[in-house]
Amino acid sequence: MTTANTDVELDLVVARRTDEAHAVVSLELRRPDGAPLPSWTPGAHVDLILENGLVRQYSLCSTPHDPHAWRIGILHVRDGRGGSRHIHGTLHEGTALRVRGPRNNFPLLPAERHVFIAGGIGITPILPMLEEAERQGSDWELVYGGRSRESMAFREELLKRYPDRVRLHPQDQHGMLDLDALLGTPRPETLVYCCGPEGLLGAVEDRCTAWPDGTLHLERFIVREQPAPLRTETFEAELAKSGITVTVPPDRSILEVVEAAGVKVPTSCREGICGTCETDVLAGVVDHRDSVLTPEEQAAHDTMMVCVSRAACPRLVLSL
C-alpha cells in the first residue's frame, strides 16, 4: 500500500462543553496529558472521527495563540446526516475522540481592509480571523446574520471584544442582510470573506462579480451545484510517485480507482468540500467539480480534489 501523504491524527478529550446559542454547542478539545497541539492558522478545520463511523469537519474557532486548546462550534442539524446529532447527544466533558488535522482551505490573506460576512454557524471560521485582522491592523468589519438573536452563537463574545466593528443582524428583527448596501460598490484594497448557508454564499457571489478577481473568499458546508461533466469518456491518470497508470471510467471517481489500485489517499468528506484529498496535478487539464478551490486556483490546473473532480483531457499526471 502506497500512502500519498498523511495528516496528523490525535486522541483528544472534551475538556469543556458550552451551550453557545439555541441548538449550538462548543467543545474545547485538549490532549489528555496537557501537551501542546499542532499549530494552525485562522480558517483551519479539523475532522472529528466519530465512533459510529462518521467523519465530520468543523472549523477551529478558538485563538491560534493558545497551543493547548482547540474549540469548535457545532449546530444541531435535525434533518442532517447524523453527525451533529451524535455530537450533541454523546460528546460531553471527559469524552475521548479521534481528531485529524488541522487543514486550512480558507486562509486569511493580508489586506488594508477586510469585510467579513457570516450567516448562522458560518461565524465559526470567522472568529479567529477577526483576531488576526486586528493584529495585522486591518480596517475590518463583520456583518453577522442569523434567524434570531438567540440562534447566533458567540454573539456576546463578539460584542464584548469588538463593540464598534461587529453588526448583528437577526432576521426576525431586521429582515435579510442588505448585501447591496454592503457590496454594491467595489472598494479598493479590500478582501471579502464569507461563510454560511448556500443562499447567502450565492447572493454574496452575485454581488461580488464586479469586484476585482481574488476579492471574494468563501467556505461552504455543503456541495455546490455542479454542471454536467466536461467529458464523459474514460480517461487515464498516471500516478507519478507510484509508477502506475490507472483507467478511470465515467461512473467511478479518481479516488475510487486509485484506492482500488492500492494507493492510499487521505480523504474525509468524499464530496469535494473538505479539501483532504487535494492532490498536485503535474500535467493535464482538470474538470474541477469541488466546492473548495477559488476560480483562480481552479484555472491554474495545478491541484485538484480527486474525490469529485475529473479530467478535461484524455490523461492526467498526478503527484500520487
Side-chain angles (χ1 to χ4, degrees), residues 122-156:
I123 189 62
T124 51
I126 301 295
L127 281 172
M129 290 186 179
L130 305 183
E131 180 180 346
E132 179 61 17
E134 189 86 347
R135 189 193 67 80
Q136 293 178 4
S138 166
D139 179 17
W140 65 268
E141 64 176 313
L142 166 66
V143 178
Y144 177 18
R147 293 182 178 178
S148 66
R149 191 178 183 89
E150 292 72 25
S151 72
M152 300 171 71
F154 308 107
R155 63 186 183 277
E156 299 304 328

PDB file of all heavy atoms in Angstrom, residues 122-156:
ATOM      1  N   GLY A 122     -21.833  29.715  10.291  1.00  0.00           N
ATOM      2  CA  GLY A 122     -20.709  30.182   9.497  1.00  0.00           C
ATOM      3  C   GLY A 122     -19.834  31.194  10.212  1.00  0.00           C
ATOM      4  O   GLY A 122     -18.776  31.574   9.695  1.00  0.00           O
ATOM      5  N   ILE A 123     -20.224  31.612  11.407  1.00  0.00           N
ATOM      6  CA  ILE A 123     -19.385  32.509  12.196  1.00  0.00           C
ATOM      7  C   ILE A 123     -18.121  31.811  12.684  1.00  0.00           C
ATOM      8  O   ILE A 123     -17.113  32.476  12.985  1.00  0.00           O
ATOM      9  CB  ILE A 123     -20.188  33.065  13.399  1.00  0.00           C
ATOM     10  CG1 ILE A 123     -19.414  34.183  14.112  1.00  0.00           C
ATOM     11  CG2 ILE A 123     -20.547  31.950  14.376  1.00  0.00           C
ATOM     12  CD1 ILE A 123     -19.128  35.383  13.268  1.00  0.00           C
ATOM     13  N   THR A 124     -18.118  30.478  12.756  1.00  0.00           N
ATOM     14  CA  THR A 124     -17.013  29.785  13.424  1.00  0.00           C
ATOM     15  C   THR A 124     -15.649  30.031  12.776  1.00  0.00           C
ATOM     16  O   THR A 124     -14.691  30.361  13.492  1.00  0.00           O
ATOM     17  CB  THR A 124     -17.294  28.276  13.560  1.00  0.00           C
ATOM     18  OG1 THR A 124     -17.684  27.730  12.300  1.00  0.00           O
ATOM     19  CG2 THR A 124     -18.393  28.036  14.583  1.00  0.00           C
ATOM     20  N   PRO A 125     -15.460  29.875  11.454  1.00  0.00           N
ATOM     21  CA  PRO A 125     -14.125  30.147  10.920  1.00  0.00           C
ATOM     22  C   PRO A 125     -13.762  31.623  10.937  1.00  0.00           C
ATOM     23  O   PRO A 125     -12.576  31.981  10.874  1.00  0.00           O
ATOM     24  CB  PRO A 125     -14.210  29.630   9.480  1.00  0.00           C
ATOM     25  CG  PRO A 125     -15.645  29.757   9.116  1.00  0.00           C
ATOM     26  CD  PRO A 125     -16.398  29.464  10.385  1.00  0.00           C
ATOM     27  N   ILE A 126     -14.779  32.502  11.028  1.00  0.00           N
ATOM     28  CA  ILE A 126     -14.533  33.939  11.018  1.00  0.00           C
ATOM     29  C   ILE A 126     -13.950  34.415  12.344  1.00  0.00           C
ATOM     30  O   ILE A 126     -13.140  35.357  12.374  1.00  0.00           O
ATOM     31  CB  ILE A 126     -15.835  34.699  10.711  1.00  0.00           C
ATOM     32  CG1 ILE A 126     -16.421  34.271   9.345  1.00  0.00           C
ATOM     33  CG2 ILE A 126     -15.639  36.198  10.757  1.00  0.00           C
ATOM     34  CD1 ILE A 126     -15.554  34.620   8.167  1.00  0.00           C
ATOM     35  N   LEU A 127     -14.309  33.774  13.448  1.00  0.00           N
ATOM     36  CA  LEU A 127     -13.888  34.255  14.769  1.00  0.00           C
ATOM     37  C   LEU A 127     -12.373  34.442  14.881  1.00  0.00           C
ATOM     38  O   LEU A 127     -11.921  35.531  15.259  1.00  0.00           O
ATOM     39  CB  LEU A 127     -14.395  33.300  15.857  1.00  0.00           C
ATOM     40  CG  LEU A 127     -15.856  33.440  16.264  1.00  0.00           C
ATOM     41  CD1 LEU A 127     -16.253  32.308  17.194  1.00  0.00           C
ATOM     42  CD2 LEU A 127     -16.089  34.774  16.949  1.00  0.00           C
ATOM     43  N   PRO A 128     -11.555  33.441  14.590  1.00  0.00           N
ATOM     44  CA  PRO A 128     -10.113  33.675  14.704  1.00  0.00           C
ATOM     45  C   PRO A 128      -9.582  34.631  13.646  1.00  0.00           C
ATOM     46  O   PRO A 128      -8.536  35.255  13.846  1.00  0.00           O
ATOM     47  CB  PRO A 128      -9.500  32.276  14.560  1.00  0.00           C
ATOM     48  CG  PRO A 128     -10.533  31.475  13.848  1.00  0.00           C
ATOM     49  CD  PRO A 128     -11.848  32.030  14.269  1.00  0.00           C
ATOM     50  N   MET A 129     -10.288  34.777  12.525  1.00  0.00           N
ATOM     51  CA  MET A 129      -9.862  35.740  11.509  1.00  0.00           C
ATOM     52  C   MET A 129      -9.951  37.161  12.040  1.00  0.00           C
ATOM     53  O   MET A 129      -9.115  38.017  11.703  1.00  0.00           O
ATOM     54  CB  MET A 129     -10.729  35.603  10.255  1.00  0.00           C
ATOM     55  CG  MET A 129     -10.502  34.337   9.477  1.00  0.00           C
ATOM     56  SD  MET A 129     -11.451  34.344   7.930  1.00  0.00           S
ATOM     57  CE  MET A 129     -10.969  32.764   7.243  1.00  0.00           C
ATOM     58  N   LEU A 130     -10.948  37.451  12.863  1.00  0.00           N
ATOM     59  CA  LEU A 130     -11.089  38.789  13.408  1.00  0.00           C
ATOM     60  C   LEU A 130      -9.899  39.142  14.280  1.00  0.00           C
ATOM     61  O   LEU A 130      -9.359  40.257  14.202  1.00  0.00           O
ATOM     62  CB  LEU A 130     -12.384  38.889  14.224  1.00  0.00           C
ATOM     63  CG  LEU A 130     -13.675  38.507  13.511  1.00  0.00           C
ATOM     64  CD1 LEU A 130     -14.865  38.724  14.437  1.00  0.00           C
ATOM     65  CD2 LEU A 130     -13.858  39.280  12.220  1.00  0.00           C
ATOM     66  N   GLU A 131      -9.479  38.213  15.094  1.00  0.00           N
ATOM     67  CA  GLU A 131      -8.313  38.438  15.943  1.00  0.00           C
ATOM     68  C   GLU A 131      -7.066  38.699  15.106  1.00  0.00           C
ATOM     69  O   GLU A 131      -6.270  39.597  15.405  1.00  0.00           O
ATOM     70  CB  GLU A 131      -8.096  37.235  16.855  1.00  0.00           C
ATOM     71  CG  GLU A 131      -6.904  37.366  17.773  1.00  0.00           C
ATOM     72  CD  GLU A 131      -6.709  36.143  18.661  1.00  0.00           C
ATOM     73  OE1 GLU A 131      -7.644  35.315  18.755  1.00  0.00           O
ATOM     74  OE2 GLU A 131      -5.615  36.031  19.242  1.00  0.00           O
ATOM     75  N   GLU A 132      -6.910  37.930  14.018  1.00  0.00           N
ATOM     76  CA  GLU A 132      -5.739  38.104  13.160  1.00  0.00           C
ATOM     77  C   GLU A 132      -5.817  39.420  12.390  1.00  0.00           C
ATOM     78  O   GLU A 132      -4.798  40.118  12.234  1.00  0.00           O
ATOM     79  CB  GLU A 132      -5.628  36.931  12.187  1.00  0.00           C
ATOM     80  CG  GLU A 132      -4.458  37.017  11.215  1.00  0.00           C
ATOM     81  CD  GLU A 132      -3.099  37.044  11.888  1.00  0.00           C
ATOM     82  OE1 GLU A 132      -3.000  36.682  13.083  1.00  0.00           O
ATOM     83  OE2 GLU A 132      -2.130  37.454  11.218  1.00  0.00           O
ATOM     84  N   ALA A 133      -6.996  39.770  11.882  1.00  0.00           N
ATOM     85  CA  ALA A 133      -7.152  41.046  11.183  1.00  0.00           C
ATOM     86  C   ALA A 133      -6.839  42.212  12.120  1.00  0.00           C
ATOM     87  O   ALA A 133      -6.207  43.199  11.722  1.00  0.00           O
ATOM     88  CB  ALA A 133      -8.568  41.172  10.624  1.00  0.00           C
ATOM     89  N   GLU A 134      -7.274  42.096  13.372  1.00  0.00           N
ATOM     90  CA  GLU A 134      -6.973  43.119  14.377  1.00  0.00           C
ATOM     91  C   GLU A 134      -5.470  43.216  14.605  1.00  0.00           C
ATOM     92  O   GLU A 134      -4.895  44.307  14.678  1.00  0.00           O
ATOM     93  CB  GLU A 134      -7.701  42.773  15.676  1.00  0.00           C
ATOM     94  CG  GLU A 134      -7.654  43.842  16.727  1.00  0.00           C
ATOM     95  CD  GLU A 134      -8.759  44.872  16.579  1.00  0.00           C
ATOM     96  OE1 GLU A 134      -9.439  44.916  15.537  1.00  0.00           O
ATOM     97  OE2 GLU A 134      -8.917  45.670  17.508  1.00  0.00           O
ATOM     98  N   ARG A 135      -4.822  42.061  14.681  1.00  0.00           N
ATOM     99  CA  ARG A 135      -3.373  42.042  14.898  1.00  0.00           C
ATOM    100  C   ARG A 135      -2.635  42.667  13.726  1.00  0.00           C
ATOM    101  O   ARG A 135      -1.623  43.359  13.917  1.00  0.00           O
ATOM    102  CB  ARG A 135      -2.902  40.595  15.109  1.00  0.00           C
ATOM    103  CG  ARG A 135      -1.447  40.456  15.549  1.00  0.00           C
ATOM    104  CD  ARG A 135      -0.964  39.034  15.443  1.00  0.00           C
ATOM    105  NE  ARG A 135      -0.881  38.592  14.052  1.00  0.00           N
ATOM    106  CZ  ARG A 135       0.131  38.902  13.240  1.00  0.00           C
ATOM    107  NH1 ARG A 135       1.131  39.643  13.655  1.00  0.00           N
ATOM    108  NH2 ARG A 135       0.128  38.473  11.994  1.00  0.00           N
ATOM    109  N   GLN A 136      -3.132  42.443  12.509  1.00  0.00           N
ATOM    110  CA  GLN A 136      -2.486  42.982  11.317  1.00  0.00           C
ATOM    111  C   GLN A 136      -2.748  44.468  11.117  1.00  0.00           C
ATOM    112  O   GLN A 136      -2.103  45.106  10.270  1.00  0.00           O
ATOM    113  CB  GLN A 136      -2.971  42.230  10.077  1.00  0.00           C
ATOM    114  CG  GLN A 136      -2.537  40.777   9.998  1.00  0.00           C
ATOM    115  CD  GLN A 136      -3.096  40.081   8.776  1.00  0.00           C
ATOM    116  OE1 GLN A 136      -3.747  40.691   7.930  1.00  0.00           O
ATOM    117  NE2 GLN A 136      -2.847  38.783   8.665  1.00  0.00           N
ATOM    118  N   GLY A 137      -3.692  45.024  11.856  1.00  0.00           N
ATOM    119  CA  GLY A 137      -4.025  46.430  11.680  1.00  0.00           C
ATOM    120  C   GLY A 137      -4.983  46.685  10.532  1.00  0.00           C
ATOM    121  O   GLY A 137      -5.086  47.818  10.041  1.00  0.00           O
ATOM    122  N   SER A 138      -5.708  45.658  10.105  1.00  0.00           N
ATOM    123  CA  SER A 138      -6.676  45.819   9.020  1.00  0.00           C
ATOM    124  C   SER A 138      -7.868  46.652   9.480  1.00  0.00           C
ATOM    125  O   SER A 138      -8.303  46.580  10.634  1.00  0.00           O
ATOM    126  CB  SER A 138      -7.165  44.436   8.557  1.00  0.00           C
ATOM    127  OG  SER A 138      -8.311  44.534   7.747  1.00  0.00           O
ATOM    128  N   ASP A 139      -8.401  47.443   8.583  1.00  0.00           N
ATOM    129  CA  ASP A 139      -9.641  48.176   8.834  1.00  0.00           C
ATOM    130  C   ASP A 139     -10.791  47.235   8.486  1.00  0.00           C
ATOM    131  O   ASP A 139     -11.283  47.221   7.359  1.00  0.00           O
ATOM    132  CB  ASP A 139      -9.670  49.437   7.966  1.00  0.00           C
ATOM    133  CG  ASP A 139     -10.953  50.238   8.160  1.00  0.00           C
ATOM    134  OD1 ASP A 139     -11.649  50.013   9.177  1.00  0.00           O
ATOM    135  OD2 ASP A 139     -11.275  51.050   7.282  1.00  0.00           O
ATOM    136  N   TRP A 140     -11.249  46.451   9.453  1.00  0.00           N
ATOM    137  CA  TRP A 140     -12.197  45.380   9.160  1.00  0.00           C
ATOM    138  C   TRP A 140     -13.569  45.661   9.771  1.00  0.00           C
ATOM    139  O   TRP A 140     -13.709  46.456  10.692  1.00  0.00           O
ATOM    140  CB  TRP A 140     -11.664  44.040   9.667  1.00  0.00           C
ATOM    141  CG  TRP A 140     -11.503  43.922  11.167  1.00  0.00           C
ATOM    142  CD1 TRP A 140     -10.383  44.207  11.895  1.00  0.00           C
ATOM    143  CD2 TRP A 140     -12.497  43.498  12.117  1.00  0.00           C
ATOM    144  NE1 TRP A 140     -10.613  43.987  13.243  1.00  0.00           N
ATOM    145  CE2 TRP A 140     -11.901  43.548  13.397  1.00  0.00           C
ATOM    146  CE3 TRP A 140     -13.830  43.094  12.004  1.00  0.00           C
ATOM    147  CZ2 TRP A 140     -12.590  43.198  14.554  1.00  0.00           C
ATOM    148  CZ3 TRP A 140     -14.526  42.745  13.165  1.00  0.00           C
ATOM    149  CH2 TRP A 140     -13.902  42.799  14.413  1.00  0.00           C
ATOM    150  N   GLU A 141     -14.565  44.952   9.233  1.00  0.00           N
ATOM    151  CA  GLU A 141     -15.911  44.977   9.796  1.00  0.00           C
ATOM    152  C   GLU A 141     -16.539  43.598   9.626  1.00  0.00           C
ATOM    153  O   GLU A 141     -16.203  42.854   8.703  1.00  0.00           O
ATOM    154  CB  GLU A 141     -16.778  46.034   9.115  1.00  0.00           C
ATOM    155  CG  GLU A 141     -17.036  45.775   7.640  1.00  0.00           C
ATOM    156  CD  GLU A 141     -17.985  46.791   7.017  1.00  0.00           C
ATOM    157  OE1 GLU A 141     -19.037  47.075   7.636  1.00  0.00           O
ATOM    158  OE2 GLU A 141     -17.671  47.285   5.916  1.00  0.00           O
ATOM    159  N   LEU A 142     -17.432  43.252  10.535  1.00  0.00           N
ATOM    160  CA  LEU A 142     -18.174  41.993  10.472  1.00  0.00           C
ATOM    161  C   LEU A 142     -19.660  42.277  10.460  1.00  0.00           C
ATOM    162  O   LEU A 142     -20.172  43.002  11.326  1.00  0.00           O
ATOM    163  CB  LEU A 142     -17.832  41.099  11.669  1.00  0.00           C
ATOM    164  CG  LEU A 142     -18.765  39.903  11.908  1.00  0.00           C
ATOM    165  CD1 LEU A 142     -18.665  38.893  10.769  1.00  0.00           C
ATOM    166  CD2 LEU A 142     -18.481  39.230  13.251  1.00  0.00           C
ATOM    167  N   VAL A 143     -20.352  41.685   9.501  1.00  0.00           N
ATOM    168  CA  VAL A 143     -21.813  41.668   9.481  1.00  0.00           C
ATOM    169  C   VAL A 143     -22.232  40.217   9.687  1.00  0.00           C
ATOM    170  O   VAL A 143     -21.873  39.339   8.896  1.00  0.00           O
ATOM    171  CB  VAL A 143     -22.361  42.222   8.157  1.00  0.00           C
ATOM    172  CG1 VAL A 143     -23.881  42.141   8.155  1.00  0.00           C
ATOM    173  CG2 VAL A 143     -21.896  43.646   7.942  1.00  0.00           C
ATOM    174  N   TYR A 144     -22.986  39.974  10.738  1.00  0.00           N
ATOM    175  CA  TYR A 144     -23.317  38.614  11.179  1.00  0.00           C
ATOM    176  C   TYR A 144     -24.835  38.473  11.213  1.00  0.00           C
ATOM    177  O   TYR A 144     -25.514  39.120  12.004  1.00  0.00           O
ATOM    178  CB  TYR A 144     -22.687  38.388  12.547  1.00  0.00           C
ATOM    179  CG  TYR A 144     -22.966  37.060  13.221  1.00  0.00           C
ATOM    180  CD1 TYR A 144     -23.439  35.946  12.532  1.00  0.00           C
ATOM    181  CD2 TYR A 144     -22.730  36.919  14.586  1.00  0.00           C
ATOM    182  CE1 TYR A 144     -23.671  34.747  13.177  1.00  0.00           C
ATOM    183  CE2 TYR A 144     -22.952  35.725  15.238  1.00  0.00           C
ATOM    184  CZ  TYR A 144     -23.429  34.646  14.537  1.00  0.00           C
ATOM    185  OH  TYR A 144     -23.662  33.450  15.187  1.00  0.00           O
ATOM    186  N   GLY A 145     -25.340  37.611  10.327  1.00  0.00           N
ATOM    187  CA  GLY A 145     -26.776  37.393  10.257  1.00  0.00           C
ATOM    188  C   GLY A 145     -27.186  36.046  10.833  1.00  0.00           C
ATOM    189  O   GLY A 145     -26.423  35.080  10.807  1.00  0.00           O
ATOM    190  N   GLY A 146     -28.407  35.983  11.343  1.00  0.00           N
ATOM    191  CA  GLY A 146     -28.961  34.744  11.867  1.00  0.00           C
ATOM    192  C   GLY A 146     -30.470  34.820  11.881  1.00  0.00           C
ATOM    193  O   GLY A 146     -31.052  35.899  11.699  1.00  0.00           O
ATOM    194  N   ARG A 147     -31.107  33.681  12.092  1.00  0.00           N
ATOM    195  CA  ARG A 147     -32.573  33.679  12.093  1.00  0.00           C
ATOM    196  C   ARG A 147     -33.133  34.505  13.237  1.00  0.00           C
ATOM    197  O   ARG A 147     -34.161  35.172  13.096  1.00  0.00           O
ATOM    198  CB  ARG A 147     -33.077  32.239  12.179  1.00  0.00           C
ATOM    199  CG  ARG A 147     -32.762  31.414  10.933  1.00  0.00           C
ATOM    200  CD  ARG A 147     -33.335  30.016  11.046  1.00  0.00           C
ATOM    201  NE  ARG A 147     -33.061  29.253   9.832  1.00  0.00           N
ATOM    202  CZ  ARG A 147     -33.425  27.973   9.667  1.00  0.00           C
ATOM    203  NH1 ARG A 147     -34.090  27.335  10.625  1.00  0.00           N
ATOM    204  NH2 ARG A 147     -33.139  27.352   8.536  1.00  0.00           N
ATOM    205  N   SER A 148     -32.500  34.420  14.385  1.00  0.00           N
ATOM    206  CA  SER A 148     -32.900  35.209  15.552  1.00  0.00           C
ATOM    207  C   SER A 148     -31.656  35.461  16.387  1.00  0.00           C
ATOM    208  O   SER A 148     -30.629  34.800  16.221  1.00  0.00           O
ATOM    209  CB  SER A 148     -33.942  34.456  16.392  1.00  0.00           C
ATOM    210  OG  SER A 148     -33.370  33.289  16.958  1.00  0.00           O
ATOM    211  N   ARG A 149     -31.753  36.407  17.291  1.00  0.00           N
ATOM    212  CA  ARG A 149     -30.607  36.705  18.153  1.00  0.00           C
ATOM    213  C   ARG A 149     -30.225  35.484  18.984  1.00  0.00           C
ATOM    214  O   ARG A 149     -29.042  35.206  19.199  1.00  0.00           O
ATOM    215  CB  ARG A 149     -30.943  37.896  19.054  1.00  0.00           C
ATOM    216  CG  ARG A 149     -29.745  38.472  19.796  1.00  0.00           C
ATOM    217  CD  ARG A 149     -30.156  39.679  20.627  1.00  0.00           C
ATOM    218  NE  ARG A 149     -29.010  40.277  21.292  1.00  0.00           N
ATOM    219  CZ  ARG A 149     -28.240  41.227  20.775  1.00  0.00           C
ATOM    220  NH1 ARG A 149     -28.509  41.681  19.572  1.00  0.00           N
ATOM    221  NH2 ARG A 149     -27.219  41.721  21.452  1.00  0.00           N
ATOM    222  N   GLU A 150     -31.232  34.735  19.434  1.00  0.00           N
ATOM    223  CA  GLU A 150     -30.978  33.567  20.279  1.00  0.00           C
ATOM    224  C   GLU A 150     -30.257  32.456  19.535  1.00  0.00           C
ATOM    225  O   GLU A 150     -29.632  31.586  20.145  1.00  0.00           O
ATOM    226  CB  GLU A 150     -32.293  33.029  20.843  1.00  0.00           C
ATOM    227  CG  GLU A 150     -32.972  33.948  21.844  1.00  0.00           C
ATOM    228  CD  GLU A 150     -33.582  35.186  21.193  1.00  0.00           C
ATOM    229  OE1 GLU A 150     -33.895  35.112  19.972  1.00  0.00           O
ATOM    230  OE2 GLU A 150     -33.731  36.210  21.883  1.00  0.00           O
ATOM    231  N   SER A 151     -30.337  32.449  18.201  1.00  0.00           N
ATOM    232  CA  SER A 151     -29.694  31.401  17.418  1.00  0.00           C
ATOM    233  C   SER A 151     -28.257  31.736  17.030  1.00  0.00           C
ATOM    234  O   SER A 151     -27.573  30.898  16.437  1.00  0.00           O
ATOM    235  CB  SER A 151     -30.497  31.141  16.132  1.00  0.00           C
ATOM    236  OG  SER A 151     -30.351  32.220  15.214  1.00  0.00           O
ATOM    237  N   MET A 152     -27.791  32.944  17.355  1.00  0.00           N
ATOM    238  CA  MET A 152     -26.498  33.428  16.875  1.00  0.00           C
ATOM    239  C   MET A 152     -25.406  33.144  17.905  1.00  0.00           C
ATOM    240  O   MET A 152     -25.303  33.824  18.935  1.00  0.00           O
ATOM    241  CB  MET A 152     -26.592  34.917  16.547  1.00  0.00           C
ATOM    242  CG  MET A 152     -27.635  35.204  15.471  1.00  0.00           C
ATOM    243  SD  MET A 152     -27.981  36.957  15.195  1.00  0.00           S
ATOM    244  CE  MET A 152     -26.459  37.463  14.412  1.00  0.00           C
ATOM    245  N   ALA A 153     -24.611  32.115  17.621  1.00  0.00           N
ATOM    246  CA  ALA A 153     -23.581  31.670  18.552  1.00  0.00           C
ATOM    247  C   ALA A 153     -22.475  32.704  18.685  1.00  0.00           C
ATOM    248  O   ALA A 153     -22.157  33.425  17.735  1.00  0.00           O
ATOM    249  CB  ALA A 153     -23.003  30.343  18.076  1.00  0.00           C
ATOM    250  N   PHE A 154     -21.911  32.781  19.875  1.00  0.00           N
ATOM    251  CA  PHE A 154     -20.757  33.635  20.198  1.00  0.00           C
ATOM    252  C   PHE A 154     -21.087  35.129  20.088  1.00  0.00           C
ATOM    253  O   PHE A 154     -20.187  35.959  20.033  1.00  0.00           O
ATOM    254  CB  PHE A 154     -19.555  33.301  19.297  1.00  0.00           C
ATOM    255  CG  PHE A 154     -19.200  31.839  19.283  1.00  0.00           C
ATOM    256  CD1 PHE A 154     -19.471  31.056  18.165  1.00  0.00           C
ATOM    257  CD2 PHE A 154     -18.612  31.232  20.381  1.00  0.00           C
ATOM    258  CE1 PHE A 154     -19.155  29.713  18.145  1.00  0.00           C
ATOM    259  CE2 PHE A 154     -18.287  29.889  20.383  1.00  0.00           C
ATOM    260  CZ  PHE A 154     -18.556  29.121  19.255  1.00  0.00           C
ATOM    261  N   ARG A 155     -22.369  35.481  20.087  1.00  0.00           N
ATOM    262  CA  ARG A 155     -22.747  36.878  19.876  1.00  0.00           C
ATOM    263  C   ARG A 155     -22.239  37.770  21.014  1.00  0.00           C
ATOM    264  O   ARG A 155     -21.749  38.885  20.755  1.00  0.00           O
ATOM    265  CB  ARG A 155     -24.255  37.009  19.716  1.00  0.00           C
ATOM    266  CG  ARG A 155     -25.073  36.586  20.931  1.00  0.00           C
ATOM    267  CD  ARG A 155     -26.562  36.599  20.681  1.00  0.00           C
ATOM    268  NE  ARG A 155     -27.317  36.250  21.875  1.00  0.00           N
ATOM    269  CZ  ARG A 155     -27.547  34.995  22.273  1.00  0.00           C
ATOM    270  NH1 ARG A 155     -27.080  33.984  21.564  1.00  0.00           N
ATOM    271  NH2 ARG A 155     -28.239  34.777  23.376  1.00  0.00           N
ATOM    272  N   GLU A 156     -22.371  37.315  22.263  1.00  0.00           N
ATOM    273  CA  GLU A 156     -21.942  38.152  23.383  1.00  0.00           C
ATOM    274  C   GLU A 156     -20.426  38.287  23.404  1.00  0.00           C
ATOM    275  O   GLU A 156     -19.892  39.359  23.715  1.00  0.00           O
ATOM    276  CB  GLU A 156     -22.451  37.558  24.701  1.00  0.00           C
ATOM    277  CG  GLU A 156     -23.970  37.465  24.791  1.00  0.00           C
ATOM    278  CD  GLU A 156     -24.646  38.817  24.575  1.00  0.00           C
ATOM    279  OE1 GLU A 156     -24.050  39.861  24.946  1.00  0.00           O
ATOM    280  OE2 GLU A 156     -25.767  38.839  24.027  1.00  0.00           O
TER     281      GLU A 156
END
